[in-house]
Amino acid sequence: MGLLLGCTHPSLTGHARGLLTSLVTLLLLRLGSAQLRVEGPDHPVTATVGQDVMLSCHLSPQRDAHSLDVRWIRKKFSETVHHYRNGEDLYGEQMGAYAGRTELVRDGLSAGSLDLRIMGLRPSDDGLYVCTVGDADFYDEAIVELEVSATGTDPHLSLGGYEAGGVRVLCRSAGWYPLPQLLWRDARGQHLPSVSQTHSQDQEGLLEIEGTVIMTGSMEGPLSCMVRSSRLQEEKESSLHISAPFFHNAQPWMVALALVLVLLAVSIGLGVYLFRKQAAQSQELEKRSAELAWRKFLLPHNTVKVTLDPDTAHPQLVVSQNNSSVRLESERQQVPDTPERFDNWGCVLGHEEFREGRHCWLVEVEGEQIKDSVWAVGVARASVERKVEINMSPEDGIWAVLYYEGQLRSLKSPLTPLSLSPVPTRIWVCLDCTQQQVSFINADNGVQIFTFTAASFNGESIHPWFQLFTEGFQLSLRNNTPQTLSPALGGSCPSPDTPASPLLGPAGAEQV
């Protein structure tokens, strides 16, 4: 070596000679310590988000490591996870993401164990780690792979709009790491292709995946969405079943109904809230005026007996012998296909028709009110379409309220959720042909539910209208006079000029 340095060109700078000396020294250290190695596990270390994990490496053969320089790093030497030297932990170079979360286990240092504990695992901790060890006479390193995983939530299924002859179904699941697979299966277990699939990452590094598929009437049985983690060998699955009436002939009228089922219109709700806040005083006057109108409506001489017209009932609807109740059956009945009969809707009209005056009738929902129940009550023009798709709105000659997913909604454009708790099961439907209004009242407490104003009857006869999309309960007509509006007056309806009563306050009511 002395000969090598002595033969250096006279013009070689002192810096170059120092660098050459360092390289030769490092080479000699490597050759001199060839028998001492740093070894790590030959398989990945697995752990889940939030847990603690131990990354292991050790000296072979065993040697006391108390006096060594031990550094755990990520991809680059500057990315220090933990640094230990001569009995001390040095935190000056540690990455901020690991501050307060690492510990070199001292118990095994005497036997050459250089294990590192990482606490409170995060998704960002996933990847390769390098255990480097050295002193004045020795240097070596070993690579350890850490696989971090997290199991997400059960898939959540929801309905979107009408598309390509069917209804768009969305599946969403959050809290996964790494990104899982999202798969669709029909009732026979056959996989279905996703129309689209996206994912996003939250502030903690966990992943949310979302996929969509188009469900048509040809798909029998439930649709399943499965989210699978190949790293964890774990999967979660949820199913959705949509009854046949939603897909009858795959008509576009299903667009409106599908939207009714899934409308969670945050922007509309915000707009309504701001409008109400700005017009609070005028609304209070309108509510008091509406309260007096309800009292007029429900005077005994305005209540009428209403019966169902079985000749208009959809083939899946069964009307009772006395024409006072209707229920939905899974099979279509053998009935004549007349022009009066609804064919694309689970609807039936009342036999009575009205052109003038005020008329009220009581409808009661009988059976268990489950979240998936779908029913509606209201009125319709005599000319309402029965054979083709319509949007179930005032523009098409229907004024009604609809129940779905535990909430009552007005069938107007745009569809409006009504804040009522609990949802009434006995409803007065009131028709004012002169003022062209359709109103709904909770028969149990006299609270106004909703009012359609300026209804366009176009001089036609108006019929009671009913709709069912769920089996297991029925709509029944009750031909009795109001009994709950004013207990203070012995059950009779108050005069229109009587001051407002707490039981008649229109809390939660809306008008349009």
Side-chain angles (χ1 to χ4, degrees):
M1 183 60 65
L3 180 62
L4 176 62
L5 295 176
C7 294
T8 303
H9 194 279
S11 65
L12 190 65
T13 65
H15 175 73
R17 283 196 295 271
L19 177 61
L20 182 59
T21 302
S22 298
L23 291 174
V24 173
T25 303
L26 180 60
L27 177 61
L28 291 176
L29 290 175
R30 286 275 192 171
L31 293 175
S33 60
Q35 299 301 316
L36 188 62
R37 302 184 310 277
V38 176
E39 296 181 348
D42 57 1
H43 55 80
V45 179
T46 60
T48 59
V49 170
Q51 292 184 342
D52 297 350
V53 68
M54 187 80 72
L55 303 184
S56 300
C57 77
H58 62 274
L59 298 175
S60 179
Q62 291 185 3
R63 171 185 163 179
D64 190 322
H66 280 91
S67 61
L68 296 180
D69 188 309
V70 180
R71 190 189 300 260
W72 283 87
I73 64 174
R74 292 299 301 263
K75 299 177 182 178
K76 302 176 182 178
F77 197 77
S78 60
E79 297 179 340
T80 300
V81 177
H82 193 93
H83 189 189
Y84 166 90
R85 184 173 60 199
N86 291 329
E88 288 188 58
D89 295 303
L90 307 178
Y91 296 105
E93 303 171 7
Q94 187 178 43
M95 299 170 62
Y98 293 93
R101 300 175 52 226
T102 62
E103 175 190 11
L104 191 75
V105 181
R106 305 293 183 91
D107 295 345
L109 288 176
S110 298
S113 178
L114 311 169
D115 297 346
L116 177 71
R117 178 181 289 110
I118 303 178
M119 293 163 280
L121 277 181
R122 306 169 180 174
S124 58
D125 296 333
D126 185 81
L128 297 179
Y129 292 75
V130 183
C131 173
T132 70
V133 184
D135 63 5
D137 302 318
F138 162 71
Y139 176 87
D140 199 12
E141 62 187 35
I143 296 176
V144 180
E145 182 177 4
L146 173 61
E147 292 184 349
V148 179
S149 304
T151 302
T153 61
D154 290 336
H156 173 72
L157 292 165
S158 60
L159 298 180
Y162 177 88
E163 183 175 332
V167 175
R168 175 182 288 265
V169 182
L170 296 87
C171 177
R172 181 183 296 109
S173 182
W176 294 89
Y177 194 86
L179 186 68
Q181 291 178 290
L182 188 149
L183 303 171
W184 295 95
R185 292 192 301 198
D186 60 20
R188 296 171 296 176
Q190 299 295 317
H191 287 286
L192 303 174
S194 293
V195 174
S196 63
Q197 194 169 117
T198 60
H199 68 271
S200 59
Q201 196 167 29
D202 63 19
Q203 294 181 345
E204 297 179 357
L206 298 175
L207 295 162
E208 177 181 272
I209 188 167
E210 178 179 299
T212 59
V213 72
I214 303 300
M215 187 174 184
T216 64
S218 62
M219 297 182 184
E220 297 181 358
L223 174 71
S224 297
C225 174
M226 179 177 63
V227 181
R228 174 190 296 164
S229 169
S230 56
R231 176 175 288 183
L232 290 171
Q233 297 298 310
E234 184 175 351
E235 61 186 40
K236 293 194 173 185
E237 186 172 4
S238 297
S239 299
L240 176 70
H241 187 278
I242 304 179
S243 57
F246 281 80
F247 299 106
H248 183 63
N249 294 334
Q251 295 293 338
W253 61 266
M254 288 302 171
V255 179
L257 190 54
L259 291 177
V260 170
L261 306 181
V262 297
L263 268 182
L264 299 174
V266 176
S267 59
I268 296 176
L270 179 59
V272 171
Y273 168 77
L274 294 176
F275 173 79
R276 289 178 180 174
K277 186 175 181 180
Q278 294 172 356
Q281 292 183 345
S282 61
Q283 275 196 334
E284 194 62 35
L285 293 176
E286 291 178 3
K287 288 179 180 180
R288 186 170 295 276
S289 175
E291 177 186 327
L292 297 178
W294 290 129
R295 299 183 183 195
K296 276 188 175 183
F297 255 126
L298 289 177
L299 290 173
H301 65 265
N302 288 333
T303 61
V304 295
K305 180 178 180 179
V306 168
T307 57
L308 301 172
D309 184 356
D311 292 336
T312 65
H314 184 277
Q316 286 182 252
L317 294 183
V318 178
V319 178
S320 64
Q321 290 186 352
N322 62 359
N323 296 333
S324 65
S325 63
V326 61
R327 69 180 190 276
L328 178 73
E329 294 287 348
S330 58
E331 301 294 332
R332 294 169 70 91
Q333 311 299 306
Q334 297 299 320
V335 293
D337 184 13
T338 61
E340 295 80 15
R341 190 177 303 282
F342 286 93
D343 188 63
N344 278 333
W345 296 89
C347 303
V348 60
L349 293 179
H351 187 272
E352 290 70 25
E353 57 182 349
F354 308 103
R355 285 181 173 271
E356 59 185 19
R358 291 173 174 161
H359 313 279
C360 296
W361 56 92
L362 179 61
V363 182
E364 183 172 357
V365 182
E366 295 184 285
E368 183 181 359
Q369 283 281 70
I370 59 176
K371 188 176 181 181
D372 293 336
S373 301
V374 181
W375 54 264
V377 296
V379 301
R381 287 198 292 253
S383 64
V384 66
E385 290 287 352
R386 326 244 177 136
K387 303 298 183 182
V388 299
E389 66 279 358
I390 57 176
N391 290 326
M392 283 203 311
S393 66
E395 290 75 15
D396 287 310
I398 295 176
W399 295 265
V401 291
L402 177 140
Y403 175 85
Y404 178 72
E405 287 192 338
Q407 193 172 35
L408 209 59
R409 307 163 189 261
S410 64
L411 285 180
K412 69 185 186 72
S413 181
L415 296 159
T416 304
L418 306 177
S419 300
L420 298 173
S421 181
V423 174
T425 57
R426 299 172 68 247
I427 298 175
W428 284 102
V429 181
C430 296
L431 169 66
D432 188 335
C433 297
T434 303
Q435 297 295 325
Q436 293 197 330
Q437 293 184 358
V438 183
S439 308
F440 303 88
I441 306 174
N442 185 339
D444 292 324
N445 56 20
V447 171
Q448 175 187 349
I449 297 172
F450 191 81
T451 294
F452 291 94
T453 59
S456 301
F457 296 155
N458 297 338
E460 293 188 39
S461 297
I462 303 300
H463 288 260
W465 176 87
F466 310 85
Q467 184 182 55
L468 273 175
F469 270 111
T470 310
E471 301 177 47
F473 65 94
Q474 64 183 15
L475 300 178
S476 300
L477 291 159
R478 303 300 184 199
N479 300 302
N480 60 323
T481 57
Q483 297 295 323
T484 61
L485 294 182
S486 181
L489 297 176
S492 62
C493 292
S495 163
D497 299 325
T498 303
S501 162
L503 287 176
L504 280 167
E510 302 188 36
Q511 291 188 336
V512 58

